[in-house]
Each structure stands twice: as structure tokens, then as C-alpha cells.
Amino acid sequence: MWALRAAVRRAPWLSTLGLRCPAPRAPPPPHPARLLAAASAGHGGLGDPDGLGSRHRGRASRPGEDEEDEEDEEDEEEELLRSEPLLPAGTQRVCLVHPDVKWGPGKPQLTTAEWQVAEAAALVHTLDGWSVVQTVVVPTKTPHKKLIFGRGSLERLTERIRASPEITSVFLNVERMASPTKKELEAAWAVEVFDRFTIVLHIFRCNARTKEAKLQVALAEIPLLRSNLKHNVTRLDRKVGASRYIMGSGESFLQVQQRLLKEKEMKIRRALEQLRGKRVLLRKQRTRREFPVVSVLGYTNSGKTSLIRALTEDPAAQPRDQLFATLDVTAHGAWLPSRVPVLYMDTVGFLSQLPHSLIQSFSATLEDVAHADVLMHVRDISHPESEQQKATVLSTLRGLRLPAQLLDSMLEVHNKVDLVPGYSTAEPGALAVSARLGLGLRELEASLDATVMEATGRRVLTLRVPLAGPQLSWLHREATVQDVTVQQEAGAALVTVVISSVAYAKFRKLFPE
């Protein structure tokens, strides 16, 4: 499943927050990291949802049986994830071809060809050993036609590519090419041709670390495999002179491959559903412990991971200056200024023209966004296309059909202000920060604190409780105690707490005045 990590180093100031006067008290609440770990494994946790300690409920298992089953599951998973390379190995010198739609419904809004080309080049440079040796922007009014360009433009482009021996492949900056289009362009240009879907999918495959991430990528590959299947089988039949039918079964080789591909897709979906069920269980554990969750989202390479690292001091958050460096959703625990524990969920970055099948395959990833208490949208304010990137993120979020209240309360964070001298935001409510230099973090934490308190129904109350009763211990266990003032003569204490509405209702029911 998606890696859920919350190994947090406590900030030095946490140890200095104590009580004003000594008072009877329960042990301090566990750190969010330990609670998250307990929720994700062990007795009654994610690894053992029924708390029975056995994978086979209701019957005794023979010695070695569990090990054999686990080996079988691992073998099946390896088989599901086994696939052919999407891109050629080794160095590639790429000609980047960008179809520039200047009119009609296909014309991109709020962006320019220059920045579309820059983003496509960044995708290429993410790949080891790949470089862009030529860039060609070709005007077109037929982007949905079979060969994308008009006859004259295609002839000039073909001449240029064939006359450039340094070009080993072409990156056609379109969302997806049909197999016939790919076949004809490769025949015309005499090099391999790739689209955005293939490039992005390969980057996803390289960055996938956990079982669920790899399964998501494998599921996203199915449409590509299906579209190429007929062409590849036909070429294989022609090459080896194979019979059209298999062993008298009445199925052609193509039909057999299609059936096997469908079976593989069904197995991947079943495996993902099992992992999704475990994630639902983990969310229930977090809900039961009333952990506020802040989902950190934004355009790819906007600095989400760097900001989470700055807020949590979590060494497990490892930022990289690379597109889609974060593919596995991770959780990082910390304390808010009010001493309320919070989980920051680092999510996969967004991208303009992200292929639809990729979004569908990674829909489970985005479920964590829908179940968050607060959304934090991180923007790279130094990027010339920051407004277009914001529009892409908001459009994707609206497609998830998130609750209106969650979207309306979303915090907008303008990151990388150190790269924009003299920057000050004119947008109401936006917070300017630099995760790299630590600028604006205290203001961001204060704003997060207030937003989380409102979103989760928490409030600050001062309660008078008897020293001899269980009330003080209960508050330490079920709420966040900020201060205790002992009134020795009265045998009572004034306790300032941050408490949710649900917990306060329980308190009044257990300890009526």
C-alpha cells in the first residue's frame, strides 16, 4: 500500500512546554509518529484488522502454510508487475515537436507554446541519459487528425528530422497518440516516437516505490498495452509464421493475448481493492484517535515535500528537484502551536494535460485528499506559469467532487518567495513562504492552527476539575492540555484544554456538573 510514514523528530521547544504548577497528571499523549505506527501495524491495527494475529481466521493453519501462501502472493504480484520497457534504454537525443494549436476548441487557455515546450523539455530531462537536441514548434489546425499536422507542415518536419542524424527519437508533445499514428510517423521519420502518456507513465514507473504505487502504474499501462497489442501480434505472426489459431481451441493468438490482458487487469484491480480496504481501515484508526489531517497538494515540483520537511523536521521527507518525485502518498506527524497533533499528507503532484487514464488509475491516491480536514495548496510563485498551474490544480480538485466547505477553506501558500525579490502577495488569505530558507513558516503554522481548529470543531476551554477525581487524567488522554493551574485550598485545578465537540460531549456525560 502507499507508504504511510510519520517518523518525526520532536522540535526542541516541545520539551520546554510544561505545567505552571506541579499537578497530578496522566502521562503525556504519544507523539503522532507513534500513534500512526500503532494504527498501521500490530494487534488490532492495519496489519491485523481483527486483532486475531492470524491470516486464516476460524481455522488452524498447518506449519509453513502461511509462508507458502505469502510466497504464492509475492509470485503473483511479481507476475502482475512484470512488463516490457516503455522507453528504450540508454542515451536518447530527442527532437521535441510541439503542435501549436492557434485557433479552435483545441487551443490551450492561459498558457503559451513557449511554456508548454519548457514543461515538455523538463519531462525529457527527468529521464536518465535523455537530452533535447532540437525543438520544433509546428502550427496546426488539425491536432485531432490522424497525422496531427497538415501535409505541407508534415513534409517539412519529416525533411528536418531525417536530415539530422543526431536525433535518435522524437517526443511529440500530445497527450496520446493512436497506434496507427505512431506507426506512420515512425515510418516517416525513421526513429521512435513517444507521446506525453508514455513519457509520464515511464517517470511514474521509475518513481513508484511501494506495492500500491507499482500496481497503480501497471493498471495505467493496460490501455497502452491494449492499443499496441494488435500491431505487435500481427508483426509477430508475420515474423515467425505462426498459425492463426492456438492448438485447435478456436481462439486466435490475438484473442488469447486480449483475454490474458483482461485477466491481468482484473487481478490488478482486485489487488488494489484489497489495499484500498486497508487504507480505509487506517483512516478509521486516525478518525478514532481524532488526528487532524492536512492534505498538502499542488503542481508537480512546487515544493510540497520541502515545505512538509520544514514544518515537521521529518528526515523521511526527502525533496528532489524533479517532476513527480513524490508518487507514494506519505504521512508526516507534527505539533501545531496549540499542541494539537496533526498529520501532513504529501500527495502526488498535478500536471497539465495529465492523461485521463493516469488520473483514473491513481484515483485511490487522491482519496486521501477527499478525507482530509484541511487542504493546503502549495504554489511555486516563482514559476512564470504559476496562474496556469493553479488553474490546473483547481480544475483537477473540482473533478474529484470534493465537499464545497473543504475547497472553500483551502489555504493557499505561495512558496519559493526567495526567488522573487520584494514579493508580496495581493491575493486575500494567501501566505508567502520559503520552505528552503524558513521564511513565513511561523505565520503559516498559526494560520494552519486556526483553520484546523475551525474545521475539526475544536475549541479552547478552561475547565475546573477536582484534583482527587479522574477528570484530569481523562482530559490528558482525550484532549490537548495546554495549562494546569492548581488551586490547592479548593482541591481543584483550572485546566485549559483544546478539545473537540465530540470529546467535550463525552466529558460532560461522564462528569456532569
Side-chain angles (χ1 to χ4, degrees):
M1 66 175 291
W2 297 92
L4 287 171
R5 303 190 300 271
V8 178
R9 187 173 76 246
R10 300 183 84 170
W13 57 268
L14 284 177
S15 60
T16 66
L17 291 176
L19 302 181
R20 201 183 321 173
C21 297
R25 57 175 297 172
H31 190 269
R34 294 196 293 271
L35 291 179
L36 182 63
S40 60
H43 302 292
L46 180 59
D48 186 18
D50 298 323
L52 301 181
S54 174
R55 294 177 59 254
H56 300 279
R57 310 286 195 264
R59 66 175 179 86
S61 58
R62 294 186 297 272
E65 185 176 7
D66 286 354
E67 288 81 359
E68 292 178 2
D69 288 346
E70 289 176 359
E71 289 178 2
D72 291 342
E73 288 181 2
E74 290 177 0
D75 291 342
E76 184 175 355
E77 288 166 1
E78 288 180 5
E79 181 64 29
L80 291 177
L81 296 174
R82 187 178 296 120
S83 56
E84 296 297 322
L86 292 169
L87 299 175
T91 301
Q92 287 292 315
R93 299 181 300 277
V94 180
C95 177
L96 174 55
V97 178
H98 176 69
D100 185 17
V101 184
K102 293 187 175 296
W103 53 84
K107 176 177 171 57
Q109 304 297 319
L110 301 177
T111 189
T112 63
E114 177 185 4
W115 293 111
Q116 286 179 290
V117 168
E119 185 170 86
L123 288 171
V124 173
H125 293 147
T126 301
L127 305 172
D128 291 337
W130 286 49
S131 60
V132 177
V133 295
Q134 286 193 39
T135 299
V136 188
V137 178
V138 184
T140 180
K141 60 180 180 181
T142 59
H144 303 296
K145 297 292 184 180
K146 181 179 180 181
L147 296 180
I148 301 171
F149 307 105
R151 181 178 301 176
S153 296
L154 183 60
E155 289 176 355
R156 290 188 293 272
L157 185 57
T158 300
E159 291 175 3
R160 179 169 178 171
I161 293 173
R162 281 186 168 269
S164 304
E166 74 274 14
I167 296 174
T168 60
S169 60
V170 172
F171 175 21
L172 185 59
N173 193 26
V174 296
E175 180 178 323
R176 184 78 179 273
M177 282 186 300
S179 292
T181 301
K182 177 179 171 68
K183 179 181 178 182
E184 291 202 28
L185 291 179
E186 288 181 340
W189 297 341
V191 293
E192 289 191 81
V193 183
F194 307 104
D195 53 21
R196 284 174 70 93
F197 179 83
T198 307
I199 297 290
V200 172
L201 190 58
H202 180 81
I203 295 172
F204 274 33
R205 183 193 279 186
C206 293
N207 288 342
R209 296 290 181 267
T210 62
K211 182 196 303 183
E212 185 169 13
K214 292 175 182 178
L215 286 170
Q216 302 271 21
V217 173
L219 181 62
E221 289 179 14
I222 295 294
L224 182 64
L225 297 175
R226 186 171 285 122
S227 65
N228 293 335
L229 183 59
K230 186 173 183 179
H231 169 66
N232 292 338
V233 169
T234 301
R235 184 174 58 183
L236 179 64
D237 286 348
R238 191 184 308 118
K239 182 176 180 180
V240 301
S243 170
R244 180 174 177 81
Y245 295 96
I246 303 293
M247 299 290 291
S249 66
E251 282 187 302
S252 68
F253 187 62
L254 173 60
Q255 290 171 330
V256 170
Q257 295 302 309
Q258 289 174 330
R259 176 170 53 79
L260 293 176
L261 191 58
K262 185 175 182 180
E263 291 174 358
K264 179 178 180 178
E265 180 180 6
M266 293 174 62
K267 289 178 181 179
I268 292 175
R269 291 188 183 277
R270 281 198 298 267
L272 286 172
E273 280 302 315
Q274 291 177 353
L275 294 174
R276 179 176 294 185
K278 292 181 179 180
R279 190 193 295 107
V280 170
L281 185 62
L282 180 57
R283 279 202 297 266
K284 289 180 179 178
Q285 294 276 2
R286 293 200 303 260
T287 301
R288 186 159 60 246
R289 298 175 185 272
E290 295 190 343
F291 273 155
V293 176
V294 177
S295 186
V296 185
L297 48 91
Y299 208 80
T300 183
N301 213 28
S302 62
K304 301 184 300 297
T305 304
S306 296
L307 184 57
I308 289 175
R309 185 184 178 95
L311 290 170
T312 65
E313 301 183 11
D314 186 354
Q318 293 293 336
R320 286 182 288 162
D321 186 13
Q322 180 182 349
L323 300 182
F324 300 114
T326 299
L327 192 59
D328 300 303
V329 172
T330 57
H332 308 265
W335 300 102
L336 292 172
S338 63
R339 299 184 67 193
V340 170
V342 66
L343 294 179
Y344 293 97
M345 305 293 292
D346 195 0
T347 62
V348 63
F350 297 95
L351 183 73
S352 66
Q353 296 180 318
L354 193 64
H356 184 67
S357 56
L358 273 178
I359 297 175
Q360 285 184 322
S361 297
F362 282 81
S363 60
T365 309
L366 301 175
E367 284 182 0
D368 289 303
V369 177
H371 290 276
D373 296 296
V374 174
L375 303 182
M376 184 166 69
H377 177 199
V378 181
R379 293 175 57 187
D380 176 2
I381 208 63
S382 69
H383 197 286
E385 292 260 290
S386 183
E387 287 297 328
Q388 167 64 12
Q389 292 179 353
K390 175 182 177 179
T392 297
V393 171
L394 295 181
S395 175
T396 305
L397 291 177
R398 284 192 290 268
L400 297 176
R401 298 179 181 176
L402 301 178
Q405 184 179 358
L406 189 60
L407 285 174
D408 293 341
S409 63
M410 181 167 60
L411 287 175
E412 184 170 312
V413 180
H414 294 180
N415 193 23
K416 305 186 184 181
V417 296
D418 54 303
L419 303 179
V420 187
Y423 177 80
S424 66
T425 176
E427 300 187 34
L431 298 160
V433 305
S434 169
R436 186 173 68 90
L437 300 183
L439 302 176
L441 295 186
R442 301 291 79 80
E443 293 81 0
L444 174 57
E445 286 180 326
S447 182
L448 275 170
D449 206 344
T451 305
V452 167
M453 293 274 282
E454 182 178 356
T456 59
R458 283 173 166 81
R459 50 183 169 162
V460 179
L461 296 176
T462 299
L463 305 173
R464 191 172 187 271
V465 300
L467 290 175
Q471 289 91 329
L472 186 58
S473 296
W474 191 94
L475 289 171
H476 274 294
R477 187 172 61 253
E478 300 293 338
T480 300
V481 176
Q482 292 184 323
D483 185 71
V484 176
T485 301
V486 175
Q487 298 175 329
Q488 199 69 46
E489 302 80 7
L494 294 177
V495 187
T496 302
V497 295
V498 179
I499 190 167
S500 69
S501 300
V502 174
Y504 184 63
K506 289 180 181 177
F507 179 80
R508 283 301 172 214
K509 183 176 181 180
L510 289 171
F511 311 108
E513 295 180 342

